Amino acid sequence: MFDASFLIAEAGTRTRYEWTRLLTYTEWWQKPLLVLVCLLVVAYVIYMYRRDSVELKRGVGVLLAILRLAAFAGLLLNYLDLQKRTDVLSVQNSQVAVMIDVSTSMGQPPGETVLSGSASSRMDQVTDALTKTDLIRRLRQKHDITFYRFDEQLVRVATFARLQPNADEKQANQPTQIAGGAVSEDAAKNDKSKDENAGKASPSGDPDGDASAVKPIDWKTVLVAKGTESRYGQNLRQLVNDLRNAPLAGLVIVGDFAQNAGIDVNAAIQLASEAQIPVHTIGLGSDRVAVNAAIVDFKVPARAYPGDKFQIEALVQGKELAGRNVTVELVSRLGSDQANNAQETLDAREVVLLGDNRDMRPLKFELPGITQPGRRTYTLRLKGINQDSNPTDDQISADLEIVERKNTVLLFSGGPTREYQFLRNQLKRDKDTEVDVYLQNAPEGISQDARAVLTSFPKTMKELAEYDTIVAFDPDWRELRTEQIQLLDDWLFKESGGLVVIAGPIYMEHWIQSKDLAKIRSIYPVEFHTRLLALDDSKFGSTTPWPIEFSREGLDAEFLWLGSGAEESLRNWSDFPGVFGFYQVKGAKPGAVVYGRYSDPEAGLSDGKPVFLAEQFWGSGRVFYIGSGEFWRLREQSVGFV
């Protein structure tokens, strides 16, 4: 728990000096070896002095010995790399973050039955605690409090600054700031998002700000149980990543913990534990498992092109229904408005045998291409279950847009690498793809084989929304402004963007240590080392190629297949000599999927071989990581691969 007594310390600075090279010595034998080498050097100087003193005068011999020692000392100091570091002590209030589940299951009563009549709901219990008790006042006596609501996304609702000693009762429940939008690293510093409750936000959220300009929160309006998904793991991970550098006293999760989508919450708990953030839970509902069949996940592609086949995937789970069958129907209709009375078409029907309470049954529907452009709504329904405690999760819908426009890709590169040139040429040959490029180090007026050559990274959502995918080849993220980084985050999180990030030896080591780029680091599905490694060639590069060692997920991932099937792909990958480079990362983030690793057994600096291919969800978007830009080497194997 955060020690509030720290808050009475005075702000200031502290300057210290560090031997940077010694900080990289992690093995027990490295420092003793350095001492032994220094002693041998001193012994060598003494030997030379004794030998020279025979022919030279005593004073000259001493002078030569001193000069030799000074030369060796200079080399030693240069090797140890003495660095001056200045620590700035900043006084901040401790913070408490409160996450509240607003999915439909929170609209149910505390028991197992569906809400009916005037029975109170789980959400009513939450709003009553916030409005009829002194919970907020008691927390504000020591901490700043920020409230978030979440279902499939995380939204900041309001911030309450720590109370001054003479605060009255009215001020106790008065927010300092009201805001909406996805969580961002900069939101706590300067939130400019639109006020959800028509109350004008205080510019800084400081307790000395004009709290009277912010309207009181109507919790029953803000916290409405209507979300279709409960992504506990994903939203907790997002909040931990955004607040891990803040003086966080604790993180509180309020809900019924009926997760039905996203990553395992244990992965996010592990991340919070590594960041030393205490997580407290307040559970609502019954402590008995209710009989229920539910659609846990439903994945429909956001768009498809006329005539192209596509897949729809789902997960179905039963509680207290082991051995029972449930009928699953997939239907579709034109348009997305349920009131348009469009006729439904039955696309597929399956009978699924349910397992135990933790078992999730995967479903995959292969659907033929649709030729007519426009929007189509797909609905998955469960049928044949009696006494279902929560019928609201027996049906879920999602829209698919059949678009005639081409797939649009932005190639964003720190320089014209071979991988960049290879992919640019490949995409240019694809008649269904349009390519724009942004080369950071390109001179003005450069010509590229692309639709457009950008002179800067997109600065508005309108510009960024033109792209379906962004491929970043070892970019220098330091050149992007804070607003552009937040724009990229929103594009991924809300607009279902796809980002491919490719590691490289030029810019990576410069930006991964920047405190201003924590948002970019959180987007990557891998964890970076907190300090630079001692040797550059241990971070990137090898004199011999090493094959990519695929995980089970990598072998099953069709987008990585080199051929028409899994077996043919495995044979083709086996013929590929491999890649020379990899960027040394700490490992995959909790919840990320590792598809492949660099197979050199001597390459890993920690447990396991280095991560080379990994992916994670970021809101409704995805981020795919590649350890080096060397897939252009595949063209040496067979032109049929590329």
Side-chain angles (χ1 to χ4, degrees), residues 218-248:
D218 182 357
W219 290 108
K220 289 187 177 295
T221 301
V222 173
L223 303 177
V224 180
K226 60 181 181 180
T228 58
E229 297 179 354
S230 299
R231 295 180 177 262
Y232 279 82
Q234 177 177 307
N235 290 311
L236 175 58
R237 183 183 67 179
Q238 172 73 11
L239 192 57
V240 169
N241 280 327
D242 279 2
L243 300 182
R244 64 188 309 162
N245 294 322
L248 200 59

Side-chain angles (χ1 to χ4, degrees), residues 65-365:
I66 293 175
L67 291 175
R68 286 174 181 143
L69 286 175
F72 283 118
L75 293 174
L76 178 63
L77 291 175
N78 183 68
Y79 173 77
L80 294 178
D81 191 17
L82 181 64
Q83 297 284 343
K84 178 181 178 181
R85 298 184 183 275
T86 301
D87 297 330
V88 179
L89 179 62
S90 174
V91 179
Q92 301 179 31
N93 291 340
S94 63
Q95 301 177 22
V96 172
V98 182
M99 296 172 56
I100 301 175
D101 184 1
V102 292
S103 62
T104 53
S105 60
M106 288 291 288
Q108 298 181 43
E112 296 86 6
T113 59
V114 177
L115 178 62
S116 61
S118 59
S120 63
S121 68
R122 298 166 189 175
M123 188 57 71
D124 289 334
Q125 292 180 307
V126 176
T127 56
D128 286 348
L130 294 174
T131 56
K132 299 179 181 180
T133 70
D134 63 345
L135 173 64
I136 295 178
R137 178 183 179 86
R138 285 187 287 119
L139 286 174
R140 292 187 69 182
Q141 290 175 350
K142 293 185 177 180
H143 315 284
D144 292 345
I145 316 170
T146 303
F147 285 89
Y148 304 86
R149 69 181 185 211
F150 73 93
D151 40 30
E152 62 268 19
Q153 292 189 12
L154 190 65
V155 176
R156 184 161 68 89
V157 174
T159 296
F160 293 79
R162 183 181 178 185
L163 284 176
Q164 300 301 316
N166 58 350
D168 56 28
E169 190 66 30
K170 181 179 179 181
Q171 290 177 314
N173 291 310
Q174 190 84 347
T176 313
Q177 195 176 70
I178 300 176
V183 179
S184 70
E185 187 176 78
D186 304 306
K189 300 177 183 177
N190 183 21
D191 182 72
K192 298 180 181 179
S193 54
K194 191 174 182 180
D195 173 23
E196 285 188 332
N197 297 304
K200 191 171 182 181
S202 170
S204 63
D206 187 83
D208 296 328
D210 185 9
S212 62
V214 182
K215 295 181 180 179
I217 287 186
D218 182 357
W219 290 108
K220 289 187 177 295
T221 301
V222 173
L223 303 177
V224 180
K226 60 181 181 180
T228 58
E229 297 179 354
S230 299
R231 295 180 177 262
Y232 279 82
Q234 177 177 307
N235 290 311
L236 175 58
R237 183 183 67 179
Q238 172 73 11
L239 192 57
V240 169
N241 280 327
D242 279 2
L243 300 182
R244 64 188 309 162
N245 294 322
L248 200 59
L251 198 156
V252 182
I253 308 175
V254 182
D256 56 14
F257 295 89
Q259 171 160 301
N260 62 3
I263 66 172
D264 187 351
V265 70
N266 290 324
I269 292 293
Q270 177 185 342
L271 182 64
S273 177
E274 292 174 355
Q276 298 183 339
I277 297 177
V279 178
H280 308 276
T281 58
I282 301 177
L284 303 172
S286 173
D287 59 355
R288 289 165 37 189
V289 178
V291 176
N292 184 45
I295 301 171
V296 177
D297 199 8
F298 186 49
K299 296 179 181 178
V300 178
R303 63 180 64 89
Y305 299 100
D308 286 355
K309 296 180 180 179
F310 59 93
Q311 291 182 353
I312 292 179
E313 300 178 9
L315 290 176
V316 176
Q317 185 179 34
K319 298 290 183 67
E320 303 298 303
L321 291 171
R324 297 275 297 276
N325 288 327
V326 60
T327 301
V328 182
E329 291 184 351
L330 179 67
V331 300
S332 63
R333 68 176 185 277
L334 290 174
S336 59
D337 185 3
Q338 297 185 15
N340 64 9
N341 297 321
Q343 182 178 358
E344 289 187 341
T345 301
L346 179 63
D347 294 291
R349 178 188 283 121
E350 288 191 24
V351 177
V352 178
L353 178 65
L354 298 175
D356 59 32
N357 290 351
R358 294 187 177 182
D359 190 20
M360 297 187 199
R361 300 296 189 185
L363 296 171
K364 181 182 291 187
F365 303 98

Side-chain angles (χ1 to χ4, degrees), residues 430-449:
D430 186 348
K431 61 182 178 61
D432 295 323
T433 302
E434 292 183 337
V435 180
D436 290 354
V437 301
Y438 170 44
L439 284 172
Q440 289 180 293
N441 64 356
E444 186 177 351
I446 187 174
S447 175
Q448 291 287 290
D449 194 6

Side-chain angles (χ1 to χ4, degrees), residues 529 549 582-588 594 596-612:
H529 290 285
E549 186 178 285
F582 72 97
Y583 195 85
Q584 185 63 262
V585 297
K586 190 175 181 181
V594 176
R597 295 179 181 271
Y598 190 76
S599 60
D600 182 0
E602 303 297 328
L605 297 185
S606 56
D607 294 339
K609 298 174 183 176
V611 175
F612 191 82

Side-chain angles (χ1 to χ4, degrees), residues 19-27 30 79-81 83 85 508-510 512-513 527-541 582-587 602-606 610 625:
W19 301 105
T20 306
R21 184 71 63 172
L22 292 179
L23 295 175
T24 66
Y25 286 176
T26 57
E27 301 293 337
Q30 290 177 305
Y79 173 77
L80 294 178
D81 191 17
Q83 297 284 343
R85 298 184 183 275
M508 289 281 286
E509 65 180 68
H510 299 291
I512 61 173
Q513 303 295 330
E527 292 278 6
F528 296 105
H529 290 285
T530 55
R531 289 186 180 273
L532 295 177
L533 303 180
L535 300 176
D536 288 345
D537 58 2
S538 71
K539 290 187 297 181
F540 204 99
F582 72 97
Y583 195 85
Q584 185 63 262
V585 297
K586 190 175 181 181
E602 303 297 328
L605 297 185
S606 56
Y625 169 82

